[in-house]
Amino acid sequence: MTGAAAAGRTEVLARDGRRVSLERTTRETRIRLTLDLDGTGTTGIATGIGFYDHLLGSLAHHGLFDLAIEATGDLEVDEHHTVEDVALVLGSAFAEALGDRAGIARFGEARVPMDESRADAVLDIGGRPYAAIDLPFRGERVGALPLQLVEHALEAFARTSGTTLHLSGTGRNDHHLAEAAFKALGRALRIACTPDPRRSGVASTKGSLG
């Protein structure tokens, strides 16, 4: 965790069932985010980094999550703080919206192709943060997004959401590979977060998650 991440504090502004609004403010970024796990995929995302907006929008659209993000950051320095802090807040929003995580499917997986690229996401949103990311990008950037920050953002999301995330892919086009990865993540999260009508309590033989 960077110094910026450690110094920040995420505040819950509102909660209504599985719909939450959060805010995080540091000396480097200010983020307001609203997430509805039971939405329709409606998005309004403005981070100042166009391709990052596109990836987050793809995640929400294919996960059927309503997601609104307003972020301002020190982009005159670089994109790192904004990318990381948005991911941290998004993960915190998932954790807050899921509450004690009782009654959900907990596990999810998805495989998504995009032309020559393919991404595979397998995850457990049961409160155990871990990220194993293997996305072999060929270049340094897509648009204004440094591709080395994609893995960093996914790790930050896994940490604050309490997700064990395995996300891998192959491809020759970096745009396609990154987009397939976020689509696969969205679809896997949708499965994992869906209530299981047959499940009473948490999906764990221990009787607790985390």
Side-chain angles (χ1 to χ4, degrees):
M1 180 180 293
T2 67
R9 184 172 65 90
T10 302
E11 178 184 359
V12 178
L13 302 177
R15 177 173 180 175
D16 181 10
R18 302 210 312 170
R19 184 180 188 275
V20 296
S21 295
L22 288 77
E23 182 178 69
R24 176 186 176 88
T25 302
T26 72
R27 289 190 299 270
E28 295 148 340
T29 62
R30 183 169 185 260
I31 295 134
R32 283 179 174 262
L33 184 150
T34 297
L35 171 70
D36 187 348
L37 295 182
D38 302 310
T40 60
T42 300
T43 63
I45 301 170
T47 67
I49 306 167
F51 188 57
Y52 195 33
D53 295 352
H54 180 60
L55 294 178
L56 294 169
S58 294
L59 182 155
H61 180 80
H62 291 279
L64 290 179
F65 309 123
D66 289 348
L67 179 63
I69 303 174
E70 295 181 8
T72 56
D74 55 354
L75 296 180
E76 72 281 1
V77 176
D78 68 8
E79 298 81 9
H80 185 106
H81 299 139
T82 300
V83 169
E84 178 182 34
D85 284 7
V86 167
L88 290 169
V89 178
L90 181 60
S92 296
F94 269 87
E96 187 67 27
L98 288 170
D100 63 4
R101 309 182 196 229
I104 62 170
R106 177 179 171 182
F107 302 99
E109 60 181 307
R111 171 175 285 186
V112 170
M114 188 169 183
D115 295 348
E116 88 300 335
S117 296
R118 187 192 72 234
D120 299 88
V122 181
L123 59 84
D124 169 11
I125 201 161
R128 296 166 63 96
Y130 188 87
I133 312 299
D134 184 13
L135 298 172
F137 296 117
R138 296 185 173 203
E140 294 184 0
R141 287 178 175 262
V142 173
L145 178 65
L147 290 171
Q148 66 173 339
L149 293 182
V150 171
E151 180 174 354
H152 188 59
L154 293 167
E155 290 171 345
F157 170 80
R159 184 164 70 246
T160 55
S161 63
T163 299
T164 299
L165 172 61
H166 291 256
L167 182 56
S168 61
T170 62
R172 296 186 302 275
N173 182 289
D174 288 341
H175 183 129
H176 293 166
L177 177 56
E179 187 170 340
F182 273 72
K183 288 176 177 177
L185 176 57
R187 291 185 66 85
L189 283 168
R190 175 184 171 188
I191 294 168
C193 294
T194 296
D196 184 344
R198 298 176 59 196
R199 174 69 58 192
S200 177
V202 297
S204 172
T205 55
K206 296 191 294 291
S208 62
L209 294 175

